[in-house]
Structure formats: structure tokens, C-alpha cells
Amino acid sequence: MIKTVLTVDDSRTMRDMLMLALVEAGYRVIQAVDGIDGLETLSAEGADVVITDINMPRMDGFGFIEGARADPRYRATPILVLTTESDAVKKQRARDAGATGWIVKPFDPVKLVDAVRRVAA
Amino acid sequence: MTDAVDPFEAIKVVFFQECDELLGDLETGLLAIQSGSADDETIHAVFRAVHSVKGGAGAFGLDDLVRFAHVFETLLDELRAGRRPCDEPTLNALLRAADVLADHVAAARGQGAPVEPARSAGLVAELEALTHGDVAPVAETVVETVAPLPVEADEFGFKPIAFDLSSLDAPAVAEPSGGWRIVLHPHAQMYAKANETGLLLRELARLGPVAVSLDTSALPDLAEMSPEDAYLSWTIELTGPVDEAAVREVFDFVEADCDLSVRPLDSVATPLPVAQTTPDLDIAALLARATADVPAQPEPAPVVAIPFPTPAPEPVPVAARVQATPTPAATPAPAQAPAAAPTPPAAVTIRVDLERVDRLINVVGELVIQQAMLAQRVTESGLARSSGISVGLEDLELLTREIQDSVMAIRAQPVKSVFQRMPRLVREVGEMTGKRVRLVTAGEDTEVDKTVVERLAEPITHMLRNAIDHGLESPDDRVAAGKPAEGTVKLVALHRSGRIVIEISDDGRGINRERVKGIAAAKGLIADDADLSDEEIDNLIFLPGFSTAETISDVSGRGVGMDVVKRSIQALGGRISIASNPGKGSTFTLSLPLTLAVLDGMVVAAAEQTLVAPLTAIVESLTPRVQDVHHVGGHDAVIRFRDEFVPLIDVALNMGFRDTPVPPSTGVAVVIETEAGFRAALLFDAIQGQRQVVIKSLETNYQQVEGVAAATILGDGRVALILDVDAIVATARRKTTRPELKLAS
Amino acid sequence: MTEQFSTPAAASRELIAFRIGEQEFCVDIMAVREIRGWTPATPLPRSPGFMKGVINLRGAVLPIIDLGVRFGLTTSEPTARHVIMVAHIGGRLVGLLVDAVSDIIQLRDEEVQPTPDVASDHVKAFVKGIFALDGRMISLIELDRILPETEAEAA
């Protein structure tokens, strides 16, 4: 069955790039533009995997992860954060909030798809 | 934009479009901080703008841009965390950095020269100094930020598992031995982050044949079991020439949330006991046994070897599912409801191809024409106005109008996107000319058709340059004149009588009328002894040929005179005028139609021609009485209107449709007001009605004609000209009142 | 769309011939979009004599140029038998008013001769060359020169 990936990022460029890589790998992609939109979309449509950025307006990635984890429906949904290589503090904070794994920006499409595959049931 | 384009390249286009918006947000945010009108969110938005530019740039390998953006972002991060003060010198540097960033983007896009390394490096050094709090900038070292930092090993640490007491030697480093023994004991947090052992096992199975055994010895009584806790351990034997790094990589995400041990297979003293028990033991059975009323026996836990199929595409139903029934009681993660956003929900928008909108607008335009033609035929057929068809048609007209309004609104855009570029321009021009300037803008949200917005940038740019270069005095001169050293330039947009008006004013020295008159006379544009009003002298600068290399300085000219500005405005169906106060300043006023597509007009007849006069210009219409009309010196006529006399212009005569004038009392006079507020009466043969008409440009297939703003197609299929009342009035005044004023055409 | 003159391979062109008074002319058929009968045009003020006005061509405003006047041949008022050739000139759609359209002609490049000096200067400005067909002299017209030089083109 085709798996759905929700990508949460305020940058249209990033959303498009994620979509390109994921669709080519056979995933169905839905998008959201910030944390609040992400939670709403997750609630409305559901997803098998979520990829989220950290810096976003209205609600950032940490808020999104915490919000998702607080909802029993999404406790078991894998969430990957997009993070820059050098940001150990942010990565840890994301993990503390409940992130399943991470993808380093700028991302290599192969590694991206690999990460999604590794966490998608 | 076709689908045949390489999608990656298409995203690059999107990236640069996004950069435009981000750079705009960046500048707006910085200016808001500078002017004190920012809130707590602004610095974060500024940070995100640079961060996003950097992110996208990294994806496309735009190294120069990434490097610069990184230094910029680092400082912004310090500022938003409050670790560095956001004072005036810092803001100044940030604004300049925003300009350099924009230049880097332009260069990366192929739209500008590469940024001079010295300029970029200089700013980089400045930003770094501010980031680290040094007063003196460090020696110019280009920060290499693109090189990836060393991998963070051991950050999450792991501790060896107690019961695997094999040799305590450090495992051979990356030695593809016969295989590995991996013992995995997940912690509760691992599951809380939606990691699943089954998936990890699946990944391991990709590396080579695996044998997995499950240790359930820690599993308590079901009654005591907490669903969120983790009690299970797995031991996995992976055979094959796999190196340790590949094994550890599988556990990348979970290393911190589990006890993990990876040891070479051969070094393990105690081989895995191969048990023989029930091959179809599964967790369900285990649970069933546990729930059966049998007290938990303290027997050695059955260790089973479950041959793990390689490589399984489907995940094995894993023990991890034991804890898959969460109870509301336990909540491992800090429950935090999504914070109520302090900002109002953003309006939902979608992006639409402009071509589609244009097509839609064209089709709607045709709809309006067809509806008008239909209405005409119905009227001509003699059908009663109360008949079902006529009433239905009226409703249709209302609906059509509504559709048209809605469709036009789609293309309407605030002028903000044009105004946004101006602060930077003002900064640069100020620097180049040595003037101190402050730009004040208002009305950025005023909306106008997209096609008009785009063409505003150039004329506004020229006029701002002009205002700063020619209009404003040097700081010293200003102070000597009792003015503040810093000049003010105002850029204002507003709606007025159905048009959009843009005013650019400065508080500089105003127009030097003597000089302008002298230049115009010297160039033969006016007679030497011409007698001109102040307003007319001011408007001489719009004459073609007025500005030449001598009068245009490096800054404001660049080879363009005000006449070109005027023409580009006229091509949009607009007009431009200037008002000046010597010593106090000047104001340029641009007036443009809101849309280039439709117009509310009064349909009139003159000498067998059907014409349309824009309703927005019309004040009143009246039937001239003989006693109200007076002739002044020959052909000039004036007509009494309310308490004044206004010029009466025979339009058919003015436009050459007729050679001889007709008695005014046989026609109808329509009083109009020009952009400048001047009133005149236009004489027509008859008024035929009012209608909203679709504007068709003459310039598309022909050229601009004086006195004609555009054309339209009436209900009978014929073309009718839409009058440019301002131009008609202007030509009338030219011909009759100032015969000696020869203006170059 | 300009006529292709220097295509080495193509040796012939297709032209459409038309008549103004006694004289015959022709233009590259690729530039001509359609042929219509005359409909009264809305006159434009302050326009040169050859500008007859504008008509409605399925929603587009089409300027009508009286070629007879443009070539300095005649100033007769158009009557119902006159014909409008809708042509694409320099990115614009323009209507050319002529007396009648006669033939479609295939012409080889080598058949075109340079314009002789006997032709009046006025017409020469528009004529690229002439050729003979069935004993008739037909002038080949350069469409790009028909539109007046305007400021609008510079803008």
C-alpha cells in the first residue's frame, strides 16, 4: 500500500524538493506550512511518516512534535526532523520532544528516502 | 512554465521566487526593528528568512550564497536568543548585510555580477565581530562553513549490557569479521519516539542473514506491566562481511534510547543456546499464558531462536507491539497542547498561474460583450421591459458584473511589492549623492491590477532618484536654510476617484523655475519670451529633449529623462504631473487606472461617432441654454456651471470628426473634472446611456492616439473610442489660450 | 513574421496577389491571416490619411490601413466591394484595405527583379521587387514598411 508522508516546512522550495524526492520513491506526499497547519493536516488526513522542519512561523518543529506526541493517535507515528549538521542542541531538543530520527540539510535524496524507509512501518 | 522542464530546475525557479519574498520580509523586518515598530516575533521572522535562503541555497550548491548567509544567520541567531544586543551599529550592519545577501542571490540567479569578494568579506568580518562581541574585526578570514563538521561520535553514548560478559576488549574497529552479535535493549523512550524494533531488525536483515532471539525474562506479570515500558531484549546474530559502521548506522536514531552492544561474533565466549521449543511461539500465546490464571513462575525464561527471514519486506509482528495499547494513564512525553497561536490564522491562499487568470479575465470580458450585445438585440426586438426575457437579462447583467468584479479582484495586488524595494534604493542613492535621506511610505496595501503593479517600479525608481539627487539639498545647505540635515522623501499610494494615485514628494529645494525656463528656451522647446504659468513651467521637465547628459547626473539619469517616465506612465493609461514649491519641495503625482480591463462609462454620440467618457471623470451633465453660453474671443466658449464658468469644448470639432462647430444648445454638455482638478464641459450631440465596458487597448495593434484612452466594443459589435478627457482638455487649452506656446510633439 | 528571403533550400514562395486600382501587388501568404469584406471602421482622430480607423475582429481592435492611400495611388472612398486582408506585421494584427484579392501565386526567387526606376518614389519605399506573370507586372510588397514608424515601437 502506498505510504503517505506529511512534509511540514515553511519554505516552498524545501517542500517541493522533499516532494520530488519522495514521489519519485513511490510515496504519496501531503504538505503543511507550519506547526499548526501540520497538526491540523495530520488530524484531517493522517500520515504514515512525518518530516518536519524546525524553524517555522506560528509554531515551530518542536511545538509540532510535542503536539503530535501528546495526541494518542500519533504517538506511534514516525517523525523525522530536518536539521543542519552542526546543530547538536536542536537535534537533542527535537529528540527530547519525541522525534524518531533526523535528516540533515541540505539533504541527499537517497539518504532522505532511506531514512523514511527505515522508520516507516 | 511547462511540465516538460526538468523538475529540479523548476524547483530552482521556485527557490529564487521564494528568495524574493524572503529578502523582502528580511528588509521589512529589519526596518521595523529599526523604527521601533517591531514585536517579539519580528527578529525570529528575520532569522527564518535568512535561514530559509541558506537552506535552499545549500540544496542547489550555491556556495558563495551559503557562506554569506551562514554568517548572517549566526549573528541573527545570537540576536534572537538575546545573547547579543540589537543596537544601532548592529542594525546598520544587518541592513547592509541584507543588501549584500540580495546581491548574492541575484548573482546566483545569473541576474547580476558576482559580488565583489572584498565587499562580501568585509561585511562577513563585520558580522562576525558583532557575533563574537569583538570591537576590532578579526583579520579577514573567509569563514568556511560549508565543510561539514566532524561527526558527533559518542554524543548519545551507550553503555554495555550487563549480561553479555564476553571479553572486555574493545571490539575490532571496522573489521569485517565473520559477523556481529548485537544485543539490543530498548528503553521506553525509544518507543515513545515511534521507533520500532521490528524495523531495526528489518534493516539489520538487509545487511546479511540474521538469527534473532528474544529475551523476555524481564517481562513482569501482565497485571504489573506498564504498557509504555520496555521489558524486552533482543540478541541478533548477523553473519557476513559487514563492517561495524554499517551495523551501528542502523541504530543511528535510537542509540541514545537503548542499551546497545555490538561485538564481533567470534569473540563471544558463550554461544547462543539454540533452543528447541515451540516454533510457533508468538507473543499472543505468551500473553495468553500470562493472562491465564497461572501465577508467574520464576523459571528461566524460555529462550527461543526464531529464524528471522531475510530480507523480509514486511516487518515481523514484533514484540514491540506488546506495549501498543496505551492507557490514558501513562503519558511519557510531556503533554503539551499545541500552543494557541497569538497571531491570527493566516489567510488561506493558493498559487495560480497568471496565464490562467489572464485567460479567465479575457473570457469574462467576452462574456460582458456578448451579454451587452444580447441586451441590445432584445431591446431592438421590441420586447417589453417587463417581459420574462428582459427581466432575466437584467439579472444576467448583474451576475456578469459580479463575476467580472470578482475576477478582477483576483489579479489585484497591493503595491507593497514595489514599495518594498525602495528603502534600499533610497539608501544607495543617498550614499552615492552624499545626501541624508529618510523614506516614509504609506498605503502599501493599496491594491491595483497585477499588470500595473509590475510596471510601476521603473517610474517610481526614477522619480525617487530624481527627488534625492536633484530635489534634496546637501545636508549643509539644508541646515543653512534652516531645515533638518536629513531630507524626507514620501512615497504614498491611495485610491482616488476610481483611480490609484501615487505621490512622491520631497522637502527639498523645489523646482528652479528660472533655470528650467532657461533650459527649455535654450533647447528651443519654448519661445524665448513665452509667458508660462508656474504649473506650466514645472511641467516643462516632461518634454522630450529636456533632459540631456548635462542635466542628468550619474545617479538620477542613467540616460533616462522624465519624458520617458511620462510615456511609460501614459502607456498604462495613466498621467503624471508635478507641483512644486520653491524652497519647500516638490510633489510628483502619478495617477493610473485601477485596472486595465474594464471601465464604467457614459456612452455619447458626436458627429455620428459613438464615444465613451469615463464615468469617474464626470461631474454632471446638462442641456446648454443659449443664455448660459458665452463666447470669448473667437471660438472659445464657456458655459455657466453652478457658480462658475467653465470652458465648453466641442468634442467632435476637437477630435476632427467635424470641421465646423455646432450651436451648443443643440447638444448636451457633460461637465468633467481632470486629474488636476480642472473643470471643463464637453459638448456632445447626445447621451446614449451608461454602461460598463471592456477596455481594449489601441496599443496592442496600433499605437497611442492623443485624446483616446482606449477602445471598446459596443453591443452592436462596433468599436467605440474611450475618451481621454484630460488629453482633450489639454489640447483644447493649448490650441486656444496659448497660441504662442509651441510644444515639441 | 517576416518573409523568408534567404532560405537557401527553398526556391519558391507562396504569395497572395491583390489589386488596387489598375495596379497589382502581392505579399507573402504566410503573413495573411484571413480575408474579410469591408465593414465600416470607427475613425481615429488626428490620424494619417491612410488610417481608415479600427474595426472589431472577434473582440480584437484591428486598425485598418488603406493601402491605396498608403501607396499614394488613390483616395477613393471604400465601397462594399473592397476587401480587408488581415495580416500579421511586426507582432501586430493589422487590416489592409485593398480593392480585391486575385490569385495565389507560386514564385521562385530568381523570378524577382529589382524595382525599376520608373515606379514612383512613394511606392518604391514599400516594394521589394517586381516580377511578371501572364503579361502582368506584379510588385512584391515589404509588409514591415507598411506600418508607420511610431514612438510606440520605440517604447
Side-chain angles (χ1 to χ4, degrees), chain B residues 21 24 64 76 106 120 165 226-227 310-311 371 440 504 537 625 663 687:
Chain B
E21 291 169 17
D64 283 342
L76 287 169
S120 184
L165 298 171
S226 161
T310 57
Q371 178 263 316
V440 176
I504 295 167
I537 298 178
R625 295 180 303 172
I687 294 180

Side-chain angles (χ1 to χ4, degrees), chain B residues 79-162:
Chain B
L79 291 170
R80 73 174 180 152
R83 293 191 285 267
R84 286 266 139 245
C86 199
D87 51 22
E88 188 58 42
T90 306
L91 263 171
N92 197 293
L94 291 174
L95 279 164
R96 279 178 289 119
D99 291 346
V100 173
L101 186 69
D103 287 346
H104 272 295
V105 169
R109 202 172 188 164
Q111 276 178 9
V115 182
E116 280 161 53
R119 179 165 165 244
S120 184
L123 207 41
V124 162
E126 211 181 321
L127 294 174
E128 284 186 311
L130 287 164
T131 306
H132 301 119
D134 306 337
V135 175
V138 185
E140 300 194 350
T141 47
V142 179
V143 180
E144 14 117 44
T145 57
V146 207
L149 298 179
V151 177
E152 312 134 316
D154 290 312
E155 190 196 49
F156 300 111
F158 68 95
K159 44 189 200 295
I161 293 205

Side-chain angles (χ1 to χ4, degrees), chain B residues 272-512:
Chain B
L272 202 62
V274 178
Q276 75 294 6
T277 39
T278 50
D280 52 348
L281 176 82
D282 63 349
I283 300 310
L286 182 63
L287 273 178
R289 268 200 298 141
T291 49
D293 278 338
V294 175
Q297 306 287 343
E299 15 171 285
V303 178
V304 249
I306 308 169
F308 198 81
T310 57
E314 289 297 308
V316 175
V318 216
R321 298 248 185 255
V322 166
Q323 47 80 55
T325 46
T327 55
T331 43
Q336 204 180 80
T343 54
V348 180
T349 54
I350 61 170
R351 284 178 180 267
V352 181
D353 215 337
L354 186 63
E355 235 179 85
R356 295 186 189 173
V357 177
D358 285 348
R359 249 183 287 149
L360 180 62
I361 288 183
N362 279 339
V363 170
V364 171
E366 301 307 318
L367 177 66
V368 168
I369 293 177
Q370 283 304 318
Q371 178 263 316
M373 284 172 86
L374 192 59
Q376 175 121 1
R377 304 238 195 292
V378 167
T379 318
E380 284 164 5
S381 73
L383 221 50
R385 289 207 61 200
S386 56
S387 73
I389 293 186
S390 295
V391 171
L393 265 180
E394 270 178 33
D395 287 340
L396 184 63
E397 183 176 338
L398 286 173
L399 279 173
T400 312
R401 209 175 252 255
E402 240 187 88
I403 293 180
Q404 194 165 48
D405 286 345
S406 306
V407 158
M408 292 315 304
I410 292 178
R411 260 198 349 202
Q413 253 191 10
V415 292
K416 183 150 68 167
S417 52
V418 173
F419 279 25
Q420 261 184 339
R421 308 179 219 170
M422 298 310 153
R424 177 177 178 179
L425 174 81
V426 166
R427 275 200 297 280
E428 287 177 349
V429 175
E431 265 180 51
M432 266 199 272
T433 56
K435 312 266 174 84
R436 287 185 49 194
V437 196
R438 187 167 71 104
L439 178 68
V440 176
T441 58
E444 290 117 336
D445 293 324
T446 312
E447 285 192 345
V448 87
D449 194 60
K450 181 178 173 87
T451 47
V452 175
V453 162
E454 286 155 1
R455 298 172 58 187
L456 282 177
E458 217 181 283
I460 292 181
T461 301
H462 285 307
M463 289 189 291
L464 282 178
R465 281 208 173 103
N466 206 57
I468 299 172
D469 193 23
H470 292 319
L472 292 184
E473 314 93 326
S474 70
D476 291 337
D477 287 347
R478 287 181 65 87
V479 169
K483 294 187 192 176
E486 186 183 63
T488 303
V489 174
K490 282 199 208 148
L491 176 59
V492 177
L494 55 126
H495 283 147
R496 188 151 69 200
S497 11
R499 290 171 75 87
I500 178 167
V501 173
I502 300 198
E503 287 177 355
I504 295 167
S505 49
D506 64 79
D507 62 353
R509 54 170 82 98
I511 291 215
N512 182 338

Side-chain angles (χ1 to χ4, degrees), chain B residues 169-192:
Chain B
D169 301 327
V173 178
E175 198 184 278
S177 53
W180 302 92
R181 168 164 292 113
I182 302 135
V183 183
L184 169 70
H185 173 65
H187 301 163
Q189 296 102 286
M190 193 185 101
Y191 299 120

Side-chain angles (χ1 to χ4, degrees), chain C residues 20-99:
Chain C
I20 299 179
E22 294 300 310
Q23 299 198 36
E24 274 194 276
F25 307 86
C26 63
V27 291
D28 190 338
I29 201 169
M30 293 303 290
V32 178
R33 293 281 167 236
E34 69 184 82
I35 316 269
R36 298 168 58 105
W38 160 257
T39 43
T42 303
L44 294 175
R46 301 187 193 92
S47 294
F50 56 82
M51 265 301 302
K52 274 278 158 290
V54 286
I55 65 168
N56 167 19
L57 181 74
R58 291 183 299 280
V61 170
L62 188 76
I64 305 296
I65 295 185
D66 185 334
L67 280 189
V69 177
R70 187 78 174 113
F71 293 165
L73 298 176
T74 167
T75 54
S76 66
E77 280 301 308
T79 68
R81 70 183 169 86
H82 285 214
V83 162
I84 293 177
M85 301 193 323
V86 180
H88 214 153
I89 305 180
R92 298 186 151 105
L93 215 53
V94 175
L96 304 174
L97 182 63
V98 301
D99 284 13

